[in-house]
Amino acid sequence: MPVVIETITSQVLKGNPLGDPHERRVPIYLPPDYERGERRYPVVYFLAGFSNGGVYLLGESLWAETLPQRVDRLVRSGVVRPLIVVMPDCTTRFGGSQYINSAATGRYADHLVDELIAYVDGRYRTLADREHRVVMGRSSGGYGASVLAMRHPDRFGLAVDHAGDKYFELCYRADIPAAVAALAAYDRSAARFLEGFPHPAAERGRHWFALVNLLAMASCYSPNPSAALGFDLPFDEYTAELRSDVWARWLAHDPVELVGAHADALRALRLYYLDCGRWDEHHLQYGARIYARRLQALGVAHTYEEFDGGHLHAGHRFDVSLRAVSAALP
Amino acid sequence: MPVVIETITSQVLKGNPLGDPHERRVPIYLPPDYERGERRYPVVYFLAGFSNGGVYLLGESLWAETLPQRVDRLVRSGVVRPLIVVMPDCTTRFGGSQYINSAATGRYADHLVDELIAYVDGRYRTLADREHRVVMGRSSGGYGASVLAMRHPDRFGLAVDHAGDKYFELCYRADIPAAVAALAAYDRSAARFLEGFPHPAAERGRHWFALVNLLAMASCYSPNPSAALGFDLPFDEYTAELRSDVWARWLAHDPVELVGAHADALRALRLYYLDCGRWDEHHLQYGARIYARRLQALGVAHTYEEFDGGHLHAGHRFDVSLRAVSAALP
Amino acid sequence: MPVVIETITSQVLKGNPLGDPHERRVPIYLPPDYERGERRYPVVYFLAGFSNGGVYLLGESLWAETLPQRVDRLVRSGVVRPLIVVMPDCTTRFGGSQYINSAATGRYADHLVDELIAYVDGRYRTLADREHRVVMGRSSGGYGASVLAMRHPDRFGLAVDHAGDKYFELCYRADIPAAVAALAAYDRSAARFLEGFPHPAAERGRHWFALVNLLAMASCYSPNPSAALGFDLPFDEYTAELRSDVWARWLAHDPVELVGAHADALRALRLYYLDCGRWDEHHLQYGARIYARRLQALGVAHTYEEFDGGHLHAGHRFDVSLRAVSAALP
Amino acid sequence: MPVVIETITSQVLKGNPLGDPHERRVPIYLPPDYERGERRYPVVYFLAGFSNGGVYLLGESLWAETLPQRVDRLVRSGVVRPLIVVMPDCTTRFGGSQYINSAATGRYADHLVDELIAYVDGRYRTLADREHRVVMGRSSGGYGASVLAMRHPDRFGLAVDHAGDKYFELCYRADIPAAVAALAAYDRSAARFLEGFPHPAAERGRHWFALVNLLAMASCYSPNPSAALGFDLPFDEYTAELRSDVWARWLAHDPVELVGAHADALRALRLYYLDCGRWDEHHLQYGARIYARRLQALGVAHTYEEFDGGHLHAGHRFDVSLRAVSAALP
């Protein structure tokens, strides 16, 4: 199974505020017949979930396929037509960039849309137009897929959003008490918690993930170059009270809020596939329902499916969406 | 230990919208020397938590004192001065009235402030002025104590609020997903769920309580005589999306919002004692912290304590507050 | 609804090892027509669960009937024939006696079988024979019902066991790690934990109940007059290792072990009704299944039902069993 | 960082009962100066936990080092002396072999001890004697490390056991109810559950892991060539009752039971390092405590440490043990 790992030097990520690398390893899956012929292929940009992406997608395990293993099985069995899959690395030291530009993390959307697509189209036999270019992701990557589809209709003609972050009023807000509880052990100071993060030699407390996730989201949604951390937190570190001005900046990034202004871009998609588990642990099914209602009201064609499951171990849903992608490609 | 159970006929609760009884049994604890003398006593109105109150406070158990047992021990041991404790019954079929008036439930605040105080002062040897009248409660009763203290400074000179409902943005809002999940089994219909409520012969599902609690709060905070249920729900039954207009009506009842307009009343208190468990399961410690900050900013003298504990099994905190009450009485 | 609370002076509980009272308040429910006539009635001895019994069964609450309220509704509606219900108090300071004799707690079985039945039959118009005497209980009281039916076939002709303790290998053993975890805060010393128990003024830690429950069961199943506590613990306080000699003494009380030797007594029952919730939090459904298999293999007629539910809020099952009792009485 | 992935053809695994591959990919970490010189190095055989091992140990992630990354950091920083680390693959389709021989899975101990050591010593510049050979693992691999150290004192002179499976009476037995609950959805049939296992396209139910783990352990501890599955389950699929004969076969593999007969082998170790998290989710701290007591009673020198943590995210403990290994090597 041919997977090439490219190392890409980003100009836009050079000198990024978190000091994260501007050289990124990007695995590229090539279909079985790529080497043998002259064909050109559609390209799927697969955006991984929070703290995942790039080569982290290649770790094998006993009971689950990696993404390229899954795609390869689907292509070889003829269920999905041959295509190229690119696995960008848009992680930051706090977890991930949400695939957007932020003054606190770097220009990850620009990296993906301006640099990575050009790089791939320049080096591989792609069908280098929007009609054959798919943006697909799950969780934070589902968020990225929907938002990139909204903002770059010239680049992407198909979008797949599995359990993407939506309706921040629930999916993030519900984690605030846990994050405040986690901060109690650090003198209520995010700065102290982040000293030496991610502390590889230390135990992770009970609410570790909730705190890390909200800090990372703050770096994406409420950057503030003049703040000590480079971003503002949307809640008080002791009382958990929402800071409504900061929160408003978060909401400006919520797909549920964004969709109205980008309906034309979404209407132009050949395929807009979304799903979510009926018991998503982060309440993302509710955001998905709200969003699907908005799409319907705006006349945006889409498929929304709920399945019996939660947020994890849902890789089998990619079989469903890739089949839909394959059928929708020209 | 003398506890008299009075049956009080309320005029203001007659014909209440939920068809709840307007005759209420109200236990009244009398101090050990009441029978022997001519003394007059301060009165504590003890407001129980959600779905509790009146004779429900009298149920004995192996490992915990009832409220009158506790008070009697404190009085007999000399730790607390002799006083009368009245245990109003402001429950509704959905659980409780929050001790406020509502077009959907009835005029429970009026019942308490206008009818019950007069009844007690008319029949018992009370010190019948605000300086000797205490409003005290826990959880929903803590809410009632704070709100009644705000609105009726002429009646209450001391207030005690244990883990009262505050900062609805957390304490109620966090329950919305669970309530929506519970509604799924009832065709997403609160009306269907409430048919024959409380279903004594039926199993309670996992999220039963969250749903009941939010329905009851809606009956208190967002009554609507023209709605089928008599009240509006602040969230969509399928998407869990907040209905911001209804929610605004809830927030108008949040102590965190109310406190600014009632600072004078609270400043006039002889004692304002509040506490909360550091690990309150309903996040009430955060509301308490926000509220305490507001009180401080407004110059309202108060005591706020956090203790190592959660929302339940915290009866030992009444020892602390009753001692403070005893010391603060004239 | 006539409920008489008798205060019964027990001879066999006088000077019991835990210093628990030998005067017990025992509520007795009398059917609606008791006062009017001369009829004699069947008697149900209702054995409450752990830490419950006697007057603790009378505490009213908003959404659930008390036991006498429930029986009264069933009798008045004609669903169940008129009968007397006796509510023994066999609690100890550690929670309960399991309705058996123990050198560490007292002779609670003797109290019930020898003293209480005679007392009731002597003062009330009962049908004073085994054919009309029912032993019924839930949880620890279900245990008591089954074991008393085994050992006293001359006294009880019908038995009802709701979610009774069975298959100690699961129902108790699974709690050992939690109990050991709870002991860590007390220098691994049960003696220290029990100082001043039940500590009414103190917070209950997370595993409080698991520890109390196992200590109480040890007082019932593995008494040892020469041990400091009066009983032996079946596990090591630090390693959680089972003490197999003590554990064997526990198992000698397990209905699953006892049933073989008492099959004749159980075969003589007019009715043996058992049930359990399919999701019992204490794994009691498994013990019930094992036990039902044993009964079947031994040719003991019985009814065993599982229902969709857990260990709590299952009072509606009494409607089912009391109907069966009513039908099975001569 | 040089990691060579060898593909090793096993003779003893050829035709194994589960049809698992007998060619295994085995990553081998070589120290930084390996290529440059002629030195020989001590060898650590690192045994991964359940369902892990071999190349699965190489999956990179954002916030944690892989095992070779960790070792390389420790070696390059001079904290640990240069050594070779071999990462055997002893997984089976059910998860893992526990690094023992079983008629139901294959001869994994033989593969490791007879084939793999010879292969490595034959191809790499190892210090090919027991004094320089370490067996180390965590969880199921910790089990493997302790058991291989007991049975092959001629091969291993140092052993490291992080949170290894011990005291089966707790660590496995506590999972039986969950496994039985999971089987309910498969007509109580392990055979049906295992059809097409691991069902990559299907949702994992709540108790999926508990069931898989117990089935895998049964394949290791209670093989039975004449049984339909190739092994016996130690519990009844409906009642959860322990099958004591099968369970006895499991216990014969419990380190707590084995240690007495192998004390000499363990006494001969240069280093026996064990640890466990104080809040291990599988109760392994209790097994570790029992085992440490046994070692002490038997006069086996060892180090046992407990740390503030659970079963996962404990890779930082390898820093501690590898330092101890480095110091204990001759």
Side-chain angles (χ1 to χ4, degrees), chain C residues 81-224:
Chain C
R81 57 180 278 188
L83 32 73
I84 291 170
V85 181
V86 180
M87 289 158 263
D89 173 5
C90 293
T91 57
T92 73
R93 59 183 289 244
F94 299 150
S97 64
Q98 297 295 96
Y99 304 94
I100 65 175
N101 297 333
S102 159
T105 63
R107 292 167 49 199
Y108 285 90
D110 293 349
H111 164 60
L112 204 154
V113 169
D114 295 336
E115 293 181 333
L116 196 55
I117 292 177
Y119 185 97
V120 170
D121 286 340
R123 274 166 188 75
Y124 292 88
R125 295 200 313 278
T126 61
L127 291 162
D129 56 48
R130 78 177 290 280
E131 302 301 317
H132 296 86
R133 198 178 291 119
V134 187
V135 64
M136 165 179 178
R138 72 161 234 101
S139 198
S140 284
Y143 173 84
S146 281
V147 169
L148 290 173
M150 288 179 188
R151 292 180 176 150
H152 301 283
D154 53 320
R155 300 304 177 97
F156 300 107
L158 306 90
V160 173
D161 173 347
H162 291 282
D165 301 8
K166 291 183 197 74
Y167 198 51
F168 296 179
E169 295 279 3
L170 258 184
C171 72
Y172 299 138
R173 199 162 160 169
D175 275 346
I176 293 177
V180 171
L183 276 177
Y186 295 87
D187 292 337
R188 304 169 190 165
S189 160
R192 178 169 290 204
F193 173 76
L194 290 174
E195 278 166 24
F197 183 83
H199 320 283
E203 196 51 31
R204 295 179 181 184
R206 197 177 153 217
H207 296 304
W208 186 90
F209 184 78
L211 177 56
V212 171
N213 191 45
L214 288 188
L215 294 175
M217 294 305 120
S219 74
C220 299
Y221 300 141
S222 48
N224 178 357

Side-chain angles (χ1 to χ4, degrees), chain A residues 24-314:
Chain A
R24 297 286 170 131
R25 290 174 295 164
V26 177
I28 300 177
Y29 164 83
L30 300 173
D33 58 0
Y34 188 89
E35 291 305 319
R36 290 192 299 264
E38 298 292 318
R39 274 179 72 184
R40 292 189 165 271
Y41 301 91
V43 187
V44 174
Y45 286 81
F46 182 87
L47 314 187
F50 185 63
S51 84
N52 203 349
V55 297
Y56 305 145
L57 286 164
L58 303 182
E60 295 183 53
S61 66
L62 181 61
W63 289 319
E65 297 167 309
T66 62
L67 182 77
Q69 286 171 340
R70 181 179 299 275
V71 175
D72 201 54
R73 170 177 54 78
L74 292 169
V75 169
R76 285 179 192 275
S77 65
V79 168
V80 167
R81 58 180 277 188
L83 32 73
I84 292 170
V85 180
V86 179
M87 288 158 264
D89 172 6
C90 293
T91 57
T92 74
R93 60 183 289 244
F94 298 151
S97 64
Q98 298 294 94
Y99 306 94
I100 64 175
N101 297 333
S102 160
T105 62
R107 290 166 52 199
Y108 285 91
D110 292 350
H111 164 61
L112 204 154
V113 169
D114 295 336
E115 293 181 332
L116 196 56
I117 291 177
Y119 184 98
V120 170
D121 286 339
R123 274 166 188 74
Y124 293 88
R125 295 199 313 278
T126 61
L127 290 162
D129 57 48
R130 79 177 289 280
E131 303 301 317
H132 295 86
R133 197 178 291 120
V134 187
V135 64
M136 165 179 178
R138 72 161 235 103
S139 199
S140 283
Y143 172 84
S146 281
V147 169
L148 290 172
M150 288 179 188
R151 292 180 176 150
H152 301 282
D154 53 318
R155 300 302 178 98
F156 300 107
L158 305 90
V160 173
D161 173 346
H162 291 281
D165 301 9
K166 290 182 198 75
Y167 198 51
F168 296 180
E169 294 280 3
L170 258 184
C171 72
Y172 299 139
R173 200 163 160 170
D175 275 346
I176 292 177
V180 171
L183 276 177
Y186 295 87
D187 292 337
R188 304 170 190 167
S189 161
R192 178 171 289 204
F193 173 76
L194 290 175
E195 279 165 24
F197 183 83
H199 320 283
E203 195 51 31
R204 295 178 181 186
R206 196 176 153 218
H207 296 306
W208 186 91
F209 183 79
L211 176 55
V212 171
N213 191 45
L214 288 188
L215 294 176
M217 294 306 120
S219 74
C220 299
Y221 300 141
S222 48
N224 178 357
S226 66
L229 294 169
F231 55 83
D232 296 318
L233 271 182
F235 55 86
D236 185 278
E237 292 89 339
Y238 171 58
T239 67
E241 188 174 10
L242 207 69
R243 289 179 177 132
S244 52
D245 52 340
V246 181
W247 187 242
R249 288 152 63 196
W250 283 47
L251 292 187
H253 290 279
D254 189 337
V256 157
E257 304 290 329
L258 288 170
V259 64
H262 296 86
D264 282 342
L266 297 177
R267 277 190 212 101
L269 288 170
R270 300 183 68 86
L271 172 77
Y272 194 12
Y273 178 93
L274 306 103
D275 77 6
C276 197
R278 214 182 304 284
W279 308 301
D280 190 286
E281 291 86 347
H282 302 287
H283 307 311
L284 293 167
Q285 73 276 41
Y286 298 116
R289 292 174 185 179
I290 294 169
Y291 190 72
R293 278 198 181 167
R294 300 271 200 285
L295 291 178
Q296 189 153 10
L298 292 163
V300 176
H302 67 282
T303 300
Y304 172 59
E305 295 181 344
E306 280 187 23
F307 57 94
D308 280 347
H311 197 66
L312 301 177
H313 302 298

Side-chain angles (χ1 to χ4, degrees), chain C residues 9-313:
Chain C
T9 303
S10 166
Q11 298 307 315
V12 302
L13 295 181
K14 206 170 269 179
N16 66 72
L18 293 176
D20 285 312
H22 69 283
E23 296 203 332
R24 298 285 170 133
R25 292 173 293 165
V26 176
I28 299 176
Y29 165 83
L30 301 173
D33 57 0
Y34 187 89
E35 291 305 319
R36 291 191 298 265
E38 298 293 319
R39 275 179 73 183
R40 292 190 165 270
Y41 300 91
V43 187
V44 174
Y45 287 81
F46 182 86
L47 314 187
F50 185 64
S51 85
N52 202 349
V55 297
Y56 305 146
L57 286 163
L58 304 182
E60 295 183 53
S61 66
L62 180 63
W63 290 319
E65 297 168 309
T66 63
L67 183 76
Q69 286 171 339
R70 181 178 301 274
V71 175
D72 201 54
R73 170 178 53 79
L74 292 169
V75 169
R76 284 178 193 276
S77 64
V79 168
V80 167
R81 57 180 278 188
L83 32 73
I84 291 170
V85 181
V86 180
M87 289 158 263
D89 173 5
C90 293
T91 57
T92 73
R93 59 183 289 244
F94 299 150
S97 64
Q98 297 295 96
Y99 304 94
I100 65 175
N101 297 333
S102 159
T105 63
R107 292 167 49 199
Y108 285 90
D110 293 349
H111 164 60
L112 204 154
V113 169
D114 295 336
E115 293 181 333
L116 196 55
I117 292 177
Y119 185 97
V120 170
D121 286 340
R123 274 166 188 75
Y124 292 88
R125 295 200 313 278
T126 61
L127 291 162
D129 56 48
R130 78 177 290 280
E131 302 301 317
H132 296 86
R133 198 178 291 119
V134 187
V135 64
M136 165 179 178
R138 72 161 234 101
S139 198
S140 284
Y143 173 84
S146 281
V147 169
L148 290 173
M150 288 179 188
R151 292 180 176 150
H152 301 283
D154 53 320
R155 300 304 177 97
F156 300 107
L158 306 90
V160 173
D161 173 347
H162 291 282
D165 301 8
K166 291 183 197 74
Y167 198 51
F168 296 179
E169 295 279 3
L170 258 184
C171 72
Y172 299 138
R173 199 162 160 169
D175 275 346
I176 293 177
V180 171
L183 276 177
Y186 295 87
D187 292 337
R188 304 169 190 165
S189 160
R192 178 169 290 204
F193 173 76
L194 290 174
E195 278 166 24
F197 183 83
H199 320 283
E203 196 51 31
R204 295 179 181 184
R206 197 177 153 217
H207 296 304
W208 186 90
F209 184 78
L211 177 56
V212 171
N213 191 45
L214 288 188
L215 294 175
M217 294 305 120
S219 74
C220 299
Y221 300 141
S222 48
N224 178 357
S226 67
L229 294 168
F231 55 84
D232 296 318
L233 272 182
F235 55 86
D236 185 278
E237 291 89 339
Y238 171 58
T239 68
E241 188 174 11
L242 208 68
R243 290 179 177 134
S244 52
D245 52 340
V246 181
W247 187 242
R249 288 152 63 195
W250 282 47
L251 293 187
H253 289 279
D254 189 337
V256 157
E257 304 290 329
L258 289 170
V259 64
H262 296 86
D264 282 343
L266 297 177
R267 277 189 213 102
L269 288 170
R270 302 183 68 85
L271 172 76
Y272 195 12
Y273 178 92
L274 306 103
D275 77 5
C276 197
R278 215 183 304 284
W279 308 300
D280 190 285
E281 292 85 347
H282 303 287
H283 307 309
L284 293 167
Q285 73 275 41
Y286 298 117
R289 291 174 185 179
I290 295 169
Y291 190 72
R293 279 198 180 166
R294 300 271 200 285
L295 292 177
Q296 190 154 9
L298 291 163
V300 175
H302 67 282
T303 300
Y304 172 59
E305 295 181 344
E306 280 188 21
F307 57 94
D308 281 348
H311 197 66
L312 300 177
H313 302 298

Side-chain angles (χ1 to χ4, degrees), chain D residues 179-245:
Chain D
V180 171
L183 276 176
Y186 295 88
D187 292 336
R188 304 170 191 168
S189 161
R192 178 169 289 205
F193 173 76
L194 290 175
E195 278 165 25
F197 183 84
H199 320 285
E203 193 53 29
R204 296 178 181 185
R206 196 176 154 220
H207 296 305
W208 186 90
F209 184 79
L211 177 55
V212 171
N213 191 44
L214 288 188
L215 294 176
M217 295 305 120
S219 73
C220 299
Y221 300 142
S222 49
N224 178 358
S226 67
L229 294 169
F231 55 83
D232 296 318
L233 272 182
F235 55 86
D236 185 278
E237 291 90 338
Y238 171 58
T239 66
E241 188 175 9
L242 207 69
R243 289 179 178 133
S244 52
D245 52 340

